[in-house]
Amino acid sequence: MKKNVVIISLFFLFLSFAGCKKNNEIKFDNSYPLATSPDVEWAVVVEPYVAFRKTTEWDSEILGHCRKGDILQVQGSSISSDNVQWFKFIHGWLPFGSVEIYSNRLRAQTFANELK
């Protein structure tokens, strides 16, 4: 009888450890190292198609384009002579009305996902 109790106890002990997994890794996404930096802002393009401008003027040279849902790191901002706020990005300037600004990339990504 004692032998059966020991065997059953060992069996249940084995089952309790068999379900444990030691390779539960936490993966860190470092593709955007400044994604949560407190002094970096991120923008989501909200217009279907927007032109990057060379300066903060509407008639300025067009340097490139971006599309709705694109996420961009803000490099700076300025107010033009006609009181429009512009944001500086790597590819040029975009006006305030064409982007939504967020304090970190994760929030920007959540909003961009809702746009699609």
Side-chain angles (χ1 to χ4, degrees):
M1 176 94 164
K2 284 185 179 182
K3 185 177 179 183
N4 289 341
V5 171
V6 171
I7 291 174
I8 292 172
S9 298
L10 288 174
F11 177 72
F12 283 113
L13 184 64
F14 172 76
L15 285 179
S16 66
F17 287 109
C20 296
K21 295 180 181 178
K22 291 188 177 186
N23 54 352
N24 289 341
E25 293 181 34
I26 297 175
K27 295 187 179 188
F28 180 71
D29 179 11
N30 61 354
S31 55
Y32 296 97
L34 299 175
T36 58
S37 180
D39 58 341
V40 175
E41 292 182 315
W42 297 84
V44 179
V45 177
V46 295
E47 295 292 324
Y49 198 66
V50 184
F52 286 109
R53 301 286 178 168
K54 186 173 184 174
T55 66
T56 60
E57 299 298 327
W58 292 105
D59 58 353
S60 170
E61 177 184 351
I62 295 175
L63 300 176
H65 298 89
C66 56
R67 295 175 184 249
K68 185 176 185 177
D70 287 351
I71 300 173
L72 309 165
Q73 183 180 341
V74 178
Q75 305 288 318
S77 66
S78 181
I79 296 180
S80 64
S81 59
D82 57 349
N83 288 329
V84 174
Q85 185 174 12
W86 291 76
F87 291 95
K88 172 78 171 138
F89 302 98
I90 290 175
H91 302 294
W93 293 88
L94 294 177
F96 174 75
S98 62
V99 294
E100 186 81 24
I101 304 298
Y102 289 91
S103 60
N104 64 57
R105 192 176 198 294
L106 303 175
R107 288 184 181 185
Q109 183 66 58
T110 300
F111 179 73
N113 291 343
E114 292 173 3
L115 287 177
K116 296 178 182 180

